Amino acid sequence: MERKTFIKCGCAYGLLSLINASGFAGQTNDQQQSEKKHTAQSMSQKQVQEVIKFIETSFDDSVREKIFSQLGYECFHSRSLDGWIVRYVGHVQAFLDWVNVEKKSKYWERLEFNEDRTILSLTGRKVAGCACAYADCLNPPKSLCYYCCKNFQQQLFGMLLGQRVNVEITKAFLLGDDRCDTRIHLM
């Protein structure tokens, strides 16, 4: 890695580390007040949004890809979605039925394999906004789609299918569409 890229990534990761260290995800005001002497001040959603917008506008593609991909990884794992999807590992058809037959997915309308089962196409439901809370701001970073959501889905579908996958974002609300569609390429 080039020295300049290393320094840029280090600075940006440092900024992102503030998100986790701040207690942003989960403590109540009472918990925060009782631990005030021992913990850092919590960051608001707006502060986090401004930090990721700063990263979007201040760094080149290679740095943004690393940072936002890590954000997608953290979103998937820190929300314990790995514990949810693991019940479908080895039972892919049950997961497809959960989406296609039972219609239980809040965001997905259809999830179908192509004929030779090398591509899993996800058709999203029509939406009025992005599912990501960090995108709920004026001019949200497109890197939330290009890298964060992409890696989030690569984590999810890779775990479900038990192999590496490459997610291709084909439509996205943040890119001007009324739904978010992807193609999951099995590798």
Side-chain angles (χ1 to χ4, degrees):
M1 178 184 298
E2 291 182 25
R3 184 175 190 268
K4 190 175 179 181
T5 302
F6 176 78
I7 291 169
K8 284 182 179 181
C9 285
C11 291
Y13 281 132
L15 286 171
L16 282 177
S17 73
L18 295 173
I19 295 169
N20 290 336
S22 70
F24 176 70
Q27 289 188 332
T28 65
N29 283 338
D30 291 339
Q31 289 171 321
Q32 290 171 358
Q33 290 298 323
S34 67
E35 296 177 11
K36 196 168 191 168
K37 293 180 185 178
H38 306 290
T39 60
Q41 180 66 34
S42 294
M43 289 177 71
S44 70
Q45 181 174 332
K46 181 169 176 37
Q47 286 173 296
V48 174
Q49 289 167 333
E50 293 304 317
V51 168
I52 63 174
K53 284 165 76 173
F54 171 77
I55 293 166
E56 174 83 1
T57 60
S58 300
F59 297 99
D60 61 34
D61 282 340
S62 65
V63 174
R64 285 195 307 265
E65 180 178 8
K66 289 175 185 166
I67 293 168
F68 282 93
S69 292
Q70 185 66 31
L71 188 59
Y73 175 91
E74 294 298 334
C75 183
F76 178 73
H77 290 283
S78 69
R79 294 173 52 217
S80 301
L81 293 174
D82 50 346
W84 169 73
I85 199 66
V86 75
R87 67 180 159 171
Y88 292 106
V89 172
H91 306 284
V92 175
Q93 188 59 50
F95 186 75
L96 297 176
D97 290 346
W98 180 81
V99 174
N100 299 325
V101 178
E102 299 171 34
K103 308 282 187 203
K104 291 194 176 181
S105 175
K106 182 177 180 178
Y107 300 107
W108 304 336
E109 191 173 291
R110 280 188 322 275
L111 193 57
E112 303 167 316
F113 277 105
N114 65 346
E115 196 171 302
D116 63 359
R117 297 183 68 87
T118 58
I119 299 173
L120 183 58
S121 294
L122 185 155
T123 303
R125 294 188 184 277
K126 288 187 177 183
V127 293
C130 184
C132 178
Y134 298 135
D136 188 18
C137 61
L138 187 62
N139 300 317
K142 303 290 189 268
S143 291
L144 288 170
C145 281
Y146 295 137
Y147 307 120
C148 184
C149 185
K150 177 180 177 168
N151 197 34
F152 175 93
Q153 289 187 51
Q154 285 177 173
Q155 296 298 309
L156 187 143
F157 289 107
M159 185 174 282
L160 172 69
L161 300 169
Q163 67 184 84
R164 281 181 26 114
V165 299
N166 183 35
V167 169
E168 172 191 3
I169 307 289
T170 57
K171 288 185 179 180
F173 182 82
L174 289 185
L175 304 178
D177 298 300
D178 63 352
R179 68 177 76 229
C180 298
D181 295 351
T182 58
R183 284 191 198 105
I184 299 95
H185 299 268
L186 284 68
M187 301 174 84

